[in-house]
Amino acid sequence: MKKIFYLLLLAGLIAACKSNQADDFKVEPGSIAYNDEARVLKKTYATAADKSNEINTEERYTYDASGNLTRVDGYQFYQGKMGLVFYQEDIYNAGGQRIRRTYYSKNAYNKWPAGREVEYEYENGVLKREKAYYYVDNSQDTRRLASVTVYEFKDGKKVRQKFYGDQNVLYYEIVYSYSNNILTLETVYNEKGEVTRTFEHKFSGNRRQISEHMPTMKEQIALIEKTYDAKGRLSREETKVNNPLLCSMMAGFIRYHY
């Protein structure tokens, strides 16, 4: 009897995570901008699996006079109170290119040490490399290389991204495919050049669905649905986890405020 109960419970959980991907979503993008990079002022996150849509995290964005992102403040809600738990600062060169991003988080002593830092390198004015560092034991004097990301662009679009460890060993890479200048497919390869995951983008009006798959499975792992406003800006994002054992993402909602 107990075994039957657990089987019924598992079936209920799987049913709750089933995708509602509609048949009207097509591979070819529509005529709107599908702009995921608009200058958002605030993001609110709700990760409750019961879809109560209760906000538990909020991010606020600050820009300089040139429109460059300079700071992100991250807040968490706990027992009806909102507290700042991290912030991020971006530094730019004279040409307006981001050269450094530093992440700070609050420690047990109510201080704000830097925990991570990313440095950006350019070739011929185009982003080529990111070097990510972490500070040892929250030390402000000692940092170590954690990873390196190398970019490849073509006609102004990112077409490849390679991720290396601190010993210059390739971990994985992502290849990006486009249609009408809109991203439609992300293919992830391991260090041996084997496909490990794909993210397929489909479109219907002002909505985009991103379906995650593994080559060894017929069923999708997770589904992300994005909704865009009348100006083509991303306004809402929902992650629907179909297989929580294989997906590292958490089901929930993000709302974008401009």
Side-chain angles (χ1 to χ4, degrees), residues 70-87:
T70 57
R71 179 172 170 127
V72 179
D73 291 289
Y75 298 85
Q76 285 187 344
F77 295 86
Y78 180 70
Q79 294 183 345
K81 296 182 179 180
M82 180 175 67
L84 182 68
V85 294
F86 79 88
Y87 68 92

Side-chain angles (χ1 to χ4, degrees), residues 59-185:
E59 292 178 0
R60 299 177 184 177
Y61 295 75
T62 303
Y63 302 86
D64 63 17
S66 299
N68 295 317
L69 176 66
T70 57
R71 179 172 170 127
V72 179
D73 291 289
Y75 298 85
Q76 285 187 344
F77 295 86
Y78 180 70
Q79 294 183 345
K81 296 182 179 180
M82 180 175 67
L84 182 68
V85 294
F86 79 88
Y87 68 92
Q88 156 199 318
E89 290 184 337
D90 289 8
I91 304 297
Y92 296 81
N93 60 21
Q97 295 173 321
R98 180 188 292 115
I99 57 174
R100 184 178 298 111
R101 170 173 285 176
T102 308
Y103 299 85
Y104 301 86
S105 57
K106 193 174 184 179
N107 62 19
Y109 305 101
N110 287 327
K111 295 183 178 180
W112 295 89
R116 295 186 296 126
E117 198 160 72
V118 180
E119 293 182 348
Y120 303 84
E121 299 177 358
Y122 300 81
E123 289 185 7
N124 299 320
V126 178
L127 178 63
K128 181 63 179 180
R129 191 175 292 105
E130 291 180 12
K131 292 182 178 179
Y133 300 86
Y134 66 93
Y135 283 92
V136 180
D137 297 326
N138 290 325
S139 169
Q140 298 301 290
D141 302 318
T142 306
R143 69 174 191 175
R144 292 179 180 170
L145 181 66
S147 62
V148 177
T149 304
V150 178
Y151 294 89
E152 180 182 338
F153 288 81
K154 183 178 180 181
D155 298 327
K157 297 291 184 183
K158 180 173 63 177
V159 295
R160 189 181 302 269
Q161 197 169 346
K162 293 186 176 182
F163 299 85
Y164 296 86
D166 59 342
Q167 301 298 319
N168 200 33
V169 175
L170 178 65
Y171 285 163
Y172 66 98
E173 65 178 296
I174 305 176
V175 174
Y176 301 89
S177 302
Y178 299 83
S179 178
N180 297 331
N181 291 322
I182 301 296
L183 179 64
T184 56
L185 179 66

